Amino acid sequence: MKRPSKYTKIIGERVYIKLPTLKDAKKILEFTQNEELKKYVTWKSPESLKGAELFIKNRRLAIQRGEKFLGGVYLNESNELIGSAGYIKFEDDDDSVELGYWIAKPFQRKGFARECVNLLIDYASSSLGAKKVVITCTKGNVASIKLAENLNFHLDEILKGHMKINGEYVDRFRYNRPLS
């Protein structure tokens, strides 16, 4: 299965997804301080501007190693950063990709996450050769669970105490959707 490159830009109707640059560090720091977001993400939020810059550098290194593609989500009309979306895992065994995404609070409930997931599904199928897409949601993340179900993902399994978030082991719901 192919991997996106550091030059990949996935363009949709209202948003596009590409690797963030260091100039995005201030916005990433601001957005990732949201307590609601911290309840559901599996990564540690940066705590300073330098931490946000390292967060971005690590994303760029992960794409170079072919491990992940975690892009920023930008509005087409203004180029404003509004979140993050991408592939958090590539599984060559079954040609699957796992998606990860979050949208900053001021931009939530406007269909941006749905557009990003659809863009990532289409790109995985047409450009990467993926045969299956996976989304894993933390229990209680109702918006992501509903999004997965509304986009015809099927619940594969409930992973009990699967991951430690903010010091607590939480259940995660693993959804999948075969691609034709």
Side-chain angles (χ1 to χ4, degrees), residues 62-123:
I63 188 72
Q64 289 174 353
R65 292 190 298 255
E67 299 168 349
K68 301 176 183 187
F69 174 82
L70 296 167
V73 176
Y74 301 84
L75 294 174
N76 284 340
E77 63 182 40
S78 65
N79 297 313
E80 180 180 4
L81 177 71
I82 65 165
S84 177
Y87 306 106
I88 61 173
K89 191 184 292 181
F90 298 98
E91 291 290 346
D92 291 317
D93 296 354
D94 64 356
D95 290 329
S96 69
V97 293
E98 184 170 348
L99 306 184
Y101 53 88
W102 58 266
I103 301 296
K105 191 162 183 68
F107 303 96
Q108 292 175 358
R109 304 190 61 78
K110 297 179 179 171
F112 293 122
R114 181 185 192 95
E115 183 173 346
C116 288
V117 169
N118 280 323
L119 286 170
L120 291 167
I121 290 169
D122 291 346
Y123 188 83

Side-chain angles (χ1 to χ4, degrees), residues 134-154:
V134 174
I135 294 176
T136 305
C137 308
T138 303
K139 181 179 179 180
N141 188 345
V142 177
S144 282
I145 291 167
K146 283 184 179 179
L147 177 60
E149 291 172 351
N150 288 338
L151 292 177
N152 298 314
F153 281 76
H154 303 284

Side-chain angles (χ1 to χ4, degrees), residues 23 29 31 34 40 45 50-52 83 85 107 112-113 122 132 142 149 164 171:
K23 71 178 183 179
L29 177 63
F31 291 157
N34 180 293
Y40 304 121
S45 298
K50 282 196 183 288
F107 303 96
F112 293 122
D122 291 346
K132 180 171 72 169
V142 177
E149 291 172 351
K164 197 173 188 178
D171 296 346

Side-chain angles (χ1 to χ4, degrees), residues 1-7 19 54-70 87-92:
M1 185 172 53
K2 295 180 182 176
R3 305 288 196 266
S5 79
K6 65 182 180 180
Y7 303 109
L19 283 179
L54 182 60
F55 186 81
I56 292 166
K57 288 176 184 175
N58 285 338
R59 287 173 174 227
R60 297 183 81 76
L61 286 173
I63 188 72
Q64 289 174 353
R65 292 190 298 255
E67 299 168 349
K68 301 176 183 187
F69 174 82
L70 296 167
Y87 306 106
I88 61 173
K89 191 184 292 181
F90 298 98
E91 291 290 346
D92 291 317

